Amino acid sequence: MKPLTAFSFRSLALILPLIISGVFSLPGPTGGAPDQHQNLEEAKRDLPTFLASTLGDILSLDIIGDIIRDIDRQPAIELEFPGLKLVLQKLQADRDVKPDDHLRRLLATVQKHATYGNAYKALSPELQEKVKTFLGGKSAEEVIGKRDFFLPPSPAVKQHFEEMESVGGTVSSRAWLNAKRQVSPVVYEDAAGTKVMKVHVNAHFENWGLTVANTPALTFVPTTVLGISNIVKWAKLNGKRVRASGYRHTWTDMYSADNEVLVSMLDIETVTTIPDPTSLEKTAEFPGNELKVIELEPTDVPGSGGKKRLVRIGAAVTNEELRRWSVANDAWSMAVNVIMVEITLGGSNVPICHGAGLRHKTVSDIVRKISYVDANGNPQTVDGSNPELLRAAAGSFGLLGVITHITFELDKMTYAVMKPEKTNVNLAIPPPADYTVPPALQKFYFPSQLSAARAEFVNKANTKYFSEWFWFPYQDEVFVNCWDTTTDRTGVKDYPSPPDVFLQWLQGWIGGVLNDDPLWRALPGLWQATILGTLAHTSQPPYGPLDTEIRTYLTDALHFRRGIQNMRVRDMELQIPIPPLASDPTKPDYGIVQRAWWDAILETYKDPRAPMRIALELRIMGGSDMIMAPQRGNGFGTASIEVVTSMAAAADGSWMPFAQRLADKWMALRDGAGVRLKTRPHWAKEWDWMKVDGMPWKDYLRTVSYKDEIPQFLQAVSDIGSSQGWTVADAKARFSVGLLDDVFFG
């Protein structure tokens, strides 16, 4: 790493005349001259490349101070965002500002905007009252009291399912069925033919991230396995392809298509129903819904010493439902999972990517049985009696059929001892020796301090049960979330607490409001990233000495953030193999991880449009035995690294070029011997529009990244089908989609 001085005096000498000459001069508040960022862009186009880069860096020396000064010079901003200057001044005065105070002040700045008003009206009366009370000055503890806080569906999900419902669906009326028979098939959910499945005709589909849109001919909402069987049989007779969806959190185009069939595991009723947390076996909330069950085996896994138990979970069960079940019973938990609770277990498992902690593989690696409906409409299973076939079936992208149930191997409940930290960015994951730290982040440290910090990073990555790092844009600290577990229940509490959950929900909700607000989008991207980054950073623990150690249920620690689903985002994530050290091939080379991490930070600082406006996240995890998992073959583990941005950054055109540039850097990483790493994308995140070495990424996956695995996967699928009466061609015809056609059959 180059010396961590304040910044380059040569750069200052070059920039100072520009400041004096007015390159950074500010226009008036209305019309006429362009704003300062347009002036800056014009200046950068006329300057040498190295100087343009320096200008991009220098912007971040005191962003908050710069924004405050800009507000003073442009009163219209304070008129449109009343109190924004105070929000920023409070941050300047105290970087450890209380999260609820900071959030309340930020909410007030947009309270009079039409976007805020519309979002507020869409809330339930009970939630409206809570938000109003919080804005009135009450703390989250006072708003919630001793009651629980049940997460409502995110605004995006609510919108999707309300739109689906608005198209209309089947009812039990025989006259209605006769009238609709020409456009809406009658599909029964029961053998007696008395329960008609709900179906929507030509219901427009959008995914949560707004990267996929289509109009399936029919959208079915089944509740039984027989119902799904009947859907597939109807589709076979009518030459339709069938794909399933849950909360729609996948960014890649793996959904249904125009004029095909979509199976929606959820509808507005199921996403707004709060089940009994103790059991989903026969609840009154989901009567007759076979896809909403959690069925625990009565005995332990043989040879596990009482530490493992199998559980059969319906594909429509959500992470929040499973979390509540685990906490209520305080007996068994998933060993790994995604942070988000607004996702079905079917959706969490299908991309074969999720997990954290070097000792853990993916969620799909703890699957012990997959139950599905095949291309002929017959219920089938694949289990561990043939491990090689299960390695394909447990992560098959829906090509085997519509998944109905997944049997996972749970761990006996343990308790996380969370010790959240906020560590200077130079020490959390120290930069490589040959990287120049952006001026705003430069701080002097002795070589011995940097060496000790690197050793601490490696130790956390190697030894912690869960290891994760977050950098929020333009912050000089990293949120470090690395922890271990214990069997000692002493001091265990629900985390986040109900007031914390409300606060997290509200933080995500205001993020969603800002996402859609035209006035917010009119602000410079650098401002947006700084304000959002600061909101995210101040929202993380510790908030004080009482939060330096948190003891909670393992499942709660895995889902430590509960409001992230409220804000639509764009997301690119790659799985980078951790190679062996060139000097000692028995040890991992974490230098690659340092490079990937700092590549993202440096790319962020190079672009004054601030294309990365939410977070840079890194998780260290193990490899995988699943044939098509991107972590497969990673003997020293995997750096699961992602960048997340707002919808505004996607709309203004800055996100996609940034994501491609960063992907180019990450895909070019090589081990100590100069061999290119087999870096692969997270299947569910953004990659299908991108390129590698000028080649469409889907072609690169087929011909390079999975050149050996795809034939192995298809052979396993063929073997499964030959024993069940169907072929790979049958599966392709019934369950594939354009993107999977290109990757597997192109």
Side-chain angles (χ1 to χ4, degrees):
M1 181 181 67
K2 295 183 180 180
L4 297 176
T5 56
F7 52 84
S8 167
F9 286 99
R10 182 174 181 276
S11 297
L12 179 61
L14 289 168
I15 294 167
L16 191 57
L18 297 174
I19 299 174
I20 295 172
S21 65
V23 169
F24 295 113
S25 62
L26 293 160
T30 60
D35 67 23
Q36 68 158 15
H37 291 270
Q38 290 172 316
N39 279 340
L40 177 61
E41 288 299 304
E42 291 169 3
K44 285 169 66 67
R45 284 196 294 269
D46 297 329
L47 292 170
T49 302
F50 75 91
L51 183 55
S53 177
T54 304
L55 286 174
D57 287 342
I58 204 72
L59 278 174
S60 63
L61 284 174
D62 182 20
I63 298 177
I64 292 179
D66 288 344
I67 295 175
I68 292 172
R69 287 184 285 274
D70 289 353
I71 292 173
D72 285 337
R73 295 168 182 172
Q74 301 185 79
I77 296 175
E78 184 70 11
L79 290 175
E80 296 290 358
F81 295 87
L84 181 58
K85 178 180 175 181
L86 177 62
V87 171
L88 299 171
Q89 286 175 328
K90 291 288 187 181
L91 284 172
Q92 268 196 325
D94 182 9
R95 64 181 301 157
D96 295 322
V97 61
K98 290 182 62 178
D100 53 349
D101 290 340
H102 179 61
L103 178 60
R104 186 180 296 108
R105 286 191 286 263
L106 185 59
L107 278 165
T109 68
V110 296
Q111 190 177 3
K112 294 183 179 180
H113 291 194
T115 305
Y116 179 96
N118 292 334
Y120 181 80
K121 290 176 184 176
L123 300 176
S124 68
E126 183 183 3
L127 269 177
Q128 287 181 0
E129 184 61 29
K130 285 181 169 60
V131 173
K132 180 180 177 181
T133 303
F134 178 80
L135 272 171
K138 297 292 186 181
S139 68
E141 288 78 8
E142 291 172 310
V143 171
I144 301 301
K146 297 184 180 299
R147 296 167 292 174
D148 200 352
F149 178 73
F150 298 104
L151 286 168
S154 66
V157 163
K158 185 180 179 184
Q159 174 192 339
H160 291 322
F161 289 123
E162 285 180 342
E163 289 178 353
M164 186 177 81
E165 295 288 330
S166 70
V167 176
T170 57
V171 292
S172 298
S173 165
R174 176 59 57 183
W176 188 94
L177 291 175
N178 289 333
K180 283 289 197 179
R181 196 175 296 277
Q182 296 303 312
V183 293
S184 175
V186 179
V187 175
Y188 293 102
E189 298 241 54
D190 61 339
T194 60
K195 183 180 179 183
V196 178
M197 186 185 302
K198 183 189 294 184
V199 57
H200 304 279
V201 180
N202 294 325
H204 182 67
F205 174 93
E206 285 182 330
N207 67 332
W208 181 83
L210 300 182
T211 56
V212 179
N214 54 61
T215 305
L218 299 165
T219 299
F220 290 96
V221 186
T223 60
T224 68
V225 174
L226 179 60
I228 294 176
S229 294
N230 289 337
I231 292 171
V232 175
K233 289 175 181 177
W234 182 91
K236 181 180 179 180
L237 287 173
N238 290 272
K240 299 289 187 183
R241 282 179 156 182
V242 180
R243 299 290 295 176
S245 72
Y247 279 111
R248 312 181 181 184
H249 285 301
T250 292
W251 282 262
T252 43
D253 193 359
M254 293 193 186
Y255 299 99
S256 186
D258 290 340
N259 204 36
E260 301 290 359
V261 171
L262 176 67
V263 173
S264 180
M265 293 291 181
L266 305 170
D267 62 6
I268 193 64
E269 182 180 357
T270 54
V271 300
T272 54
T273 299
I274 301 168
D276 175 2
T278 59
S279 175
L280 281 176
E281 293 182 12
K282 294 180 180 179
T283 62
E285 291 85 357
F286 303 113
N289 193 333
E290 299 172 358
L291 310 177
K292 280 279 194 184
V293 295
I294 301 175
E295 298 170 342
L296 189 68
E297 290 288 326
T299 58
D300 299 331
V301 173
S304 69
K307 295 182 179 180
K308 304 281 187 181
R309 185 76 67 88
L310 299 184
V311 63
R312 179 175 178 265
I313 300 178
V317 171
T318 72
N319 265 349
E320 176 63 5
E321 290 162 350
L322 181 61
R323 185 197 67 79
R324 287 181 172 274
W325 175 87
S326 293
V327 170
N329 290 282
D330 192 14
W332 304 98
S333 173
M334 296 272 282
V336 293
N337 210 324
V338 296
I339 296 174
M340 186 178 284
V341 292
E342 189 183 77
I343 184 174
T344 62
L345 269 296
S348 178
N349 177 71
V350 74
I352 344 170
C353 293
H354 298 126
L358 187 61
R359 71 188 73 170
H360 305 295
K361 298 177 182 178
T362 71
V363 168
S364 302
D365 283 274
I366 59 174
V367 171
R368 298 296 175 259
K369 181 190 291 186
I370 285 284
S371 301
Y372 58 96
V373 173
D374 71 13
N376 294 318
N378 298 322
Q380 304 285 2
T381 62
V382 176
D383 59 26
S385 60
N386 190 324
E388 189 63 20
L389 299 186
L390 186 60
R391 291 186 187 107
S396 64
F397 310 100
L399 286 174
L400 284 187
V402 179
I403 307 299
T404 61
H405 298 85
I406 307 172
T407 299
F408 290 100
E409 184 175 271
L410 301 185
D411 283 1
K412 189 173 181 61
M413 179 66 78
T414 56
Y415 308 98
V417 184
M418 302 176 70
K419 296 184 178 182
E421 305 170 15
K422 291 177 180 175
T423 305
N424 183 272
V425 66
N426 297 284
L427 300 180
I429 302 177
D434 57 340
Y435 277 43
T436 300
V437 174
L441 300 180
Q442 290 182 1
K443 188 174 182 179
F444 179 79
Y445 290 100
F446 289 106
S448 59
Q449 292 175 293
L450 294 172
S451 179
R454 184 186 185 283
E456 178 62 16
F457 161 63
V458 171
N459 178 63
K460 284 184 169 72
N462 276 334
T463 65
K464 295 299 181 181
Y465 183 98
F466 186 96
S467 50
E468 187 172 37
W469 292 259
F470 290 88
W471 180 69
F472 302 105
Y474 309 111
Q475 307 302 302
D476 61 2
E477 291 181 327
V478 171
F479 172 54
V480 182
N481 184 35
C482 300
W483 42 266
D484 280 315
T485 57
T486 179
T487 57
D488 182 3
R489 202 186 183 286
T490 304
V492 168
K493 62 179 182 180
D494 287 326
Y495 181 80
S497 66
D500 288 334
V501 173
F502 169 70
L503 204 59
Q504 290 182 5
W505 172 84
L506 196 54
Q507 289 158 355
W509 182 77
I510 189 58
V513 170
L514 296 177
N515 239 346
D516 297 333
D517 186 5
L519 288 169
W520 168 263
R521 290 191 177 197
L523 294 176
L526 190 64
W527 292 27
Q528 296 177 33
T530 302
I531 294 170
L532 289 173
T534 304
L535 173 64
H537 189 68
T538 59
S539 300
Q540 311 304 322
Y543 312 123
L546 297 180
D547 297 297
T548 55
E549 180 173 296
I550 302 164
R551 290 176 172 254
T552 191
Y553 303 92
L554 171 60
T555 189
D556 276 353
L558 293 173
H559 303 300
F560 74 102
R561 297 296 299 176
R562 306 282 171 79
I564 55 177
Q565 64 274 4
N566 284 341
M567 183 180 185
R568 296 185 203 255
V569 297
R570 297 288 292 269
D571 191 336
M572 180 190 73
E573 178 177 339
L574 299 191
Q575 312 297 318
I576 302 174
I578 300 173
L581 277 170
S583 58
D584 185 352
T586 66
K587 295 180 180 179
D589 180 6
Y590 281 101
I592 286 291
V593 184
Q594 293 173 266
R595 288 183 177 278
W597 177 262
W598 279 91
D599 280 343
I601 294 175
L602 295 183
E603 281 299 319
T604 299
Y605 273 89
K606 284 180 181 178
D607 193 335
R609 297 175 299 171
M612 197 276 285
R613 297 180 191 170
I614 304 294
L616 164 65
E617 180 193 1
L618 166 71
R619 295 184 313 282
I620 299 297
M621 62 180 298
S624 176
D625 295 327
M626 301 296 102
I627 297 174
M628 293 303 299
Q631 298 89 345
R632 183 178 172 88
N634 297 350
F636 286 102
T638 306
S640 182
I641 188 167
E642 67 182 316
V643 282
V644 185
T645 199
S646 67
M647 303 305 287
D652 68 24
S654 62
W655 164 248
M656 292 175 72
F658 166 82
Q660 182 66 69
R661 291 195 305 270
L662 185 56
D664 291 343
K665 285 185 173 294
W666 284 348
M667 290 299 293
L669 290 170
R670 297 175 181 269
D671 65 17
V675 178
R676 191 171 188 171
L677 297 176
K678 191 175 280 190
T679 300
R680 296 159 165 167
H682 187 302
W683 284 106
K685 304 295 175 70
E686 293 186 61
W687 59 267
D688 52 344
W689 54 266
M690 303 171 74
K691 294 184 177 181
V692 179
D693 298 341
M695 180 189 301
W697 208 327
K698 58 188 178 183
D699 296 335
Y700 189 85
L701 292 182
R702 185 182 66 255
T703 60
V704 181
S705 296
Y706 290 96
K707 180 180 179 181
D708 298 326
E709 288 83 0
I710 288 175
Q712 183 182 355
F713 172 79
L714 292 177
Q715 183 59 56
V717 172
S718 177
D719 292 344
I720 294 169
S722 65
S723 67
Q724 297 178 352
W726 52 269
T727 67
V728 171
D730 294 333
K732 177 187 176 185
R734 195 63 47 238
F735 300 120
S736 190
V737 70
L739 181 61
L740 297 179
D741 286 345
D742 292 337
V743 172
F744 288 97
F745 308 108

